[in-house]
């Protein structure tokens, strides 16, 4: 185990731009201890594994060399030729651009970016975009699309079940992935997203919600069917201290997977109060 976990730690640490001292300080250990882990001279105590996984934005299973328990069906879907979701940008991209046009460098995090169509679209319009997904085949398509369009997007692989951002963003965007979050994970996840958002920044989010009159989507994978569903208003509940530009619920037709069906989705665009505690129409007041 020492060799695998050491190699994994040094790889993830470097991907995140962390030094051995950064990692050590986050865990309350010496940098010499981190060095020993990375060289395979010692293994971290088992009690430290959850903390290491948190800082490195991964899972304990991944640290130990086990396959991820997170959904994997999209790796197969994205492996096919063409783009599973097409190339048309999500309507939320245009809503984002109206509220925060890229008149200055704005940092965007796209959570669950899939094949990267929205991340690349935003980058083409002048945003500084980081984007992650769990499906490596989707990320590969995103990188190829970004190269074809001549833009830079920081694509990286991460699991929404364990990922927590460590840098600040002006805009956090997520479409069609939050329903994967387990209930016990949701509160901490959104608190961290909010903490890592600049004053006056916005979150542009949606999530599928359960309705008794709508059957489960036929293309849901096994993991999606096992996650307890979201309910109307649940997403907005995590943002009671932010200003709402949009808080809506829609039912729409979908043909993903080739089988016509319907979804219900809650949509939220919320703004973090600025340094003076104001947001929305009051933002910028002193």
């Amino acid at each position: 185990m020492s060799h695998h976990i050491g190699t994994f730690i040094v790889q993830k640490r470097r991907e995140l731009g962390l030094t051995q001292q950064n990692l050590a300080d986050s865990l309350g250990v010496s940098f010499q201890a981190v060095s020993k882990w990375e060289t395979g001279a010692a293994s971290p105590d088992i009690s430290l594994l959850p903390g290491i996984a948190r800082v490195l934005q991964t899972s304990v299973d991944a640290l130990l060399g086990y396959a991820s328990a997170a959904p994997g069906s999209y790796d197969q879907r994205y492996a096919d030729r063409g783009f599973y979701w097409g190339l048309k940008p999500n309507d939320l991209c245009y809503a984002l651009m109206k509220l925060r046009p890229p008149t200055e460098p704005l940092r965007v995090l796209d959570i669950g970016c899939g094949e990267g169509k929205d991340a690349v679209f935003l980058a083409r319009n002048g945003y500084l975009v980081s984007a992650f997904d769990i499906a490596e085949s989707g990320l590969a398509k995103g990188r190829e699309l970004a190269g074809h369009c001549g833009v830079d997007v920081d694509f990286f692989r991460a699991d929404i079940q364990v990922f927590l951002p460590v840098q600040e963003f002006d805009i956090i965007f997520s479409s069609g992935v939050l329903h994967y979050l387990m209930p016990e994970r949701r509160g901490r996840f959104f608190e961290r997203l909010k903490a890592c958002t600049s004053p006056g920044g916005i979150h542009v989010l949606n999530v599928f919600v359960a309705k008794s009159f709508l059957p489960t989507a036929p293309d849901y994978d096994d993991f999606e069917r096992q996650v307890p569903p979201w309910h109307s208003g649940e997403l907005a509940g995590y943002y009671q201290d932010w200003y709402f530009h949009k808080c809506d619920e829609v039912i729409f037709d979908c043909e993903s997977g080739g089988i016509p069906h319907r979804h219900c989705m809650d949509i939220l665009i919320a703004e973090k109060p600025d340094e003076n505690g104001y947001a929305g129409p009051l933002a910028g007041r002193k």
Side-chain angles (χ1 to χ4, degrees):
M1 180 182 77
S2 298
H3 176 71
H4 167 82
I5 199 169
T7 301
F8 189 89
I9 287 174
V10 70
Q11 176 184 347
K12 293 297 293 182
R13 176 176 63 76
R14 289 173 176 171
E15 287 177 0
L16 294 169
L18 301 174
T19 65
Q20 289 182 339
Q21 189 66 61
N22 294 150
L23 179 56
D25 291 344
S26 298
L27 299 170
V29 300
S30 67
F31 80 89
Q32 292 94 337
V34 175
S35 178
K36 288 181 179 180
W37 301 342
E38 294 185 351
T39 60
S43 294
D45 188 271
I46 192 170
S47 64
L48 291 173
L49 294 182
I52 296 172
R54 173 182 55 79
V55 176
L56 297 181
Q57 301 175 12
T58 186
S59 66
V60 173
D61 279 350
L63 279 173
L64 297 176
Y66 301 127
S68 173
S73 66
Y74 282 99
D75 256 321
Q76 286 78 44
R77 300 183 196 188
Y78 296 157
D80 293 337
R81 295 186 63 183
F83 282 73
Y84 188 80
W85 305 111
L87 288 173
K88 180 182 178 182
N90 191 301
D91 289 344
L92 288 177
C93 292
Y94 297 103
L96 179 163
M97 293 177 67
K98 288 179 180 179
L99 280 172
R100 292 293 184 275
T103 54
E104 60 181 305
L106 294 175
R107 299 153 296 178
V108 179
L109 175 64
D110 184 352
I111 296 173
C113 64
E115 298 162 298
K117 65 179 179 66
D118 294 331
V120 171
F121 174 79
L122 293 172
R124 291 181 70 186
N125 282 279
Y127 296 90
L128 306 177
V129 185
S130 297
F132 77 84
D133 200 273
I134 196 171
E136 186 57 50
S137 58
L139 295 171
K141 281 186 177 178
R143 295 184 186 106
E144 183 178 354
L145 180 62
H148 177 77
C149 295
V151 296
D152 291 323
V153 176
D154 177 24
F155 285 110
F156 62 97
R157 186 179 184 277
D159 183 346
I160 195 173
Q161 301 299 340
V162 295
F163 173 81
L164 291 173
V166 294
Q167 67 184 95
E168 189 174 77
F169 293 93
D170 303 299
I171 300 165
I172 292 182
F173 177 93
S174 182
S175 179
V177 72
L178 295 178
H179 64 290
Y180 276 110
L181 278 171
M182 298 298 286
E184 64 273 14
R185 164 79 172 153
R186 296 169 190 171
R188 185 183 178 211
F189 181 76
F190 288 106
E191 283 305 308
R192 186 61 182 169
L193 292 187
K194 291 161 69 177
C196 287
T197 302
S198 60
I202 61 170
H203 287 189
V204 182
L205 314 168
N206 63 35
V207 68
F208 296 113
V209 296
K211 292 293 182 183
S212 60
F213 54 84
L214 292 178
T216 301
D219 62 342
Y220 265 23
D221 60 31
D222 291 340
F223 190 88
E224 286 173 299
R225 295 175 187 275
Q226 294 171 14
V227 178
W230 287 68
H231 300 290
S232 296
E234 184 178 352
L235 178 61
Y238 293 112
Y239 288 85
Q240 292 301 311
D241 53 341
W242 284 31
Y243 176 79
F244 289 4
H245 287 277
K246 182 181 180 67
C247 184
D248 201 3
E249 184 167 279
V250 297
I251 293 176
F252 62 95
D253 296 321
C254 182
E255 294 190 3
S256 61
I259 303 174
H261 55 279
R262 308 184 87 190
H263 287 291
C264 185
M265 178 171 274
D266 277 11
I267 301 169
L268 179 68
I269 302 178
E271 177 181 333
K272 182 175 183 175
D274 62 19
E275 296 90 341
N276 301 307
Y278 295 113
L282 298 178
R285 291 195 179 187
K286 296 185 178 181

